Amino acid sequence: MLMGGSMAADSAADRPTADRPAETAADPAAATPATPDSPVARLARERVDHRFKGLPPSAEGRTVGELAAERRSLFTGGFTTPVLVLSAEALEHNLAALERYAAAHGLAFAPHGKTSLAPQLFERQLDRGAWGITAAVPTQVRLYRAFGIQRIFLANEVVDAAALHWLAGELDADPDFRFLAYVDSPRGVELMDAALREAGARRPVDVVVELGAGPGARTGARTEADCAAVADAVAATGTLRLVGVAGYEGEVPEPDGERVRAWLRRLIALAVAFDREGRFAEADEIVVSAGGSAWFDAVADVFEELPELSGPVLKLLRSGAYVSHDDGRYREVTPFNRVPEEGTLRPAFRLWAQVVSRPEPGQAFLNAGKRDAAYDLDLPEAQVIRSLDGTERPATGLTVTGLSDQHAWLAVAEGTRLEVGDWVGLGLSHPCTSFDKWQLIPVAEADGTVTDYIRTFF
C-alpha cells in the first residue's frame, strides 16, 4: 500500500509563506513515519470481498495488502470487468508536476480532496510538500481528521450547528489542528457564532471572507462593501478570527484569461485593503487563497503581484483534479496547455469494460455504464481494444454514444474489428465523479501489473 508519512503537520514556524515558499514544506516534521497502527496503514488490513467492484473473486478473504503483494496482472489475474484502474506512472508524474509548480511560484498547496477522497493519495500529496488538504463539506473534514490531517481548508460556508459543535471539540482537543473556512454573509457569521458559543468553544475558528466571482456565480460576497460587512460581523464575535480572503476563479462568468485575472486582482486588492484597515491584526499569517484546476496559471501570475503586507502571507493554491487528471474537460483546460514549459499532466484513469453484445453491424455494447463511468461532463472515450489473446490495437472506429445504468453504447465504424469478449479501455472525464463510483481502485504499471489499491470514501 501507499504507506508513507502519518500526515502529521509541521509547526507553524515551518509553514510555507511568501517568505518561506512551498518547497520548504516537505521537511521531516511534515510527515512522520507511518506506524503499523496508523489509519492509512490499517487500510492494508481490510479484507477483500463483494463490496469492491472488479476485484478477483479468487482474492476473497485476503487483505488488501496481501493482494497487492501478489502483483497480479490486470488482464490474467482474475479481475472482472468492468474495472477502473489508475496508472502508477501517471499518478507519480502528476504528483511531481504540481509539487514542482507550487515550489517554483512560491505557493503553498492544499489540493482539493473532494476530487478523490482517498487518504492514501492525501498522504502522497503531503509527502510532496502540500500544506494541507481542502474539503468541501464538514463530512469530508471528519474523514480527513480520522486519517490524521492536521491542516484543513474548508472551501465552503458552514452554518450547520451539529457540525460546528463537533468542530469546536476537535479544535479544543488538538492545539496543533489548523482549520479555515469561508464566510460570505453576516447571517452566516451569526449562525456560526451562536453554534460555537453553544458548544462552549475555547479556540476561535479561523475564517476567510469569500469574494464571489461575479453576478450569477456560486457562493461569495458579491461586492467589496459586502465583504467589509462580513468582516465587521466576524470582528464582533469572540468565536471567529478573520485571517484572510479567498474565492474560486473557476466560477467567473464566461471565464477567459483577462476576466479571471481581473477577478484575482480584486481578490488581492481586497486583502490589501483589509490589511490596511487592520482587520488581520489577530492573524498569525494572512491567507490569500484561490485555485481550481483550470486557471492555476492565472492564480500564480496574479499572486506574484501581491505587495508586502503587515504580516507573513500564505498564498494558498487549492487545485485538486491534477492528481488523476482526465481524458475530457481537464485535458482541454489544463493551464499546462497554455504554458507548456511549466510541465505536463497525464490522464491516470482507464476503465476497462468488455464487449458483451454486437446486435447490429454498426453497434456494440460494453458492460460498463453510469454506475461505473463519469458522465456528468463528457462521455467516456474509447482508446484501446484488447483481444482475449492479449494483443492490443487503437480503438479507431469506436465512439461511445451513450450510457445506460450498466451498458455503454458503442457506434462501430464500418471495417472496425471488434468481437464479443474483447476488452475496451475507456478514458474518463471529470475525476470527481470517477473516484466516487469505486471504493477500491487498482493501481497498475504500464505492463498491467497491479501494485497497489486506493481506498476511497465517498
Side-chain angles (χ1 to χ4, degrees), residues 58-207:
S58 62
E60 179 89 14
R62 288 175 173 81
T63 68
V64 173
E66 290 168 347
L67 182 57
E70 293 179 3
R71 296 177 62 87
R72 296 194 185 198
S73 167
L74 179 69
F75 305 110
T76 62
F79 291 85
T80 63
T81 57
V83 58
L84 181 67
V85 182
L86 279 165
S87 161
E89 294 86 357
L91 274 177
E92 180 61 24
H93 172 89
N94 294 344
L95 289 164
L98 257 290
E99 178 189 22
R100 286 192 301 268
Y101 187 86
H105 291 276
L107 299 170
F109 188 34
H112 214 314
K114 76 175 179 66
T115 303
S116 63
L117 286 186
Q120 294 151 278
L121 296 182
F122 298 165
E123 184 170 74
R124 292 185 69 175
Q125 290 168 318
L126 292 167
D127 287 345
R128 287 287 192 171
W131 172 90
I133 306 293
T134 296
V137 291
T139 297
Q140 293 171 9
V141 178
R142 289 186 63 202
L143 169 67
Y144 298 1
R145 290 298 289 161
F147 283 89
I149 304 294
Q150 285 293 86
R151 298 199 195 110
I152 300 172
F153 187 108
L154 179 59
N156 205 347
E157 285 68 26
V158 53
V159 296
D160 185 305
L164 289 163
H165 289 181
W166 172 84
L167 176 63
E170 200 74 5
L171 286 166
D172 289 345
D174 185 354
D176 295 324
F177 173 34
R178 180 104 191 264
F179 174 85
L180 299 90
Y182 280 175
V183 287
D184 76 349
S185 70
R187 173 60 174 166
V189 168
E190 176 188 348
L191 291 172
M192 292 182 76
D193 181 51
L196 292 168
R197 288 182 184 278
E198 185 177 61
R202 298 190 299 274
R203 283 180 63 190
V205 172
D206 287 347
V207 295

Side-chain angles (χ1 to χ4, degrees), residues 25-33:
D27 57 38
T32 55

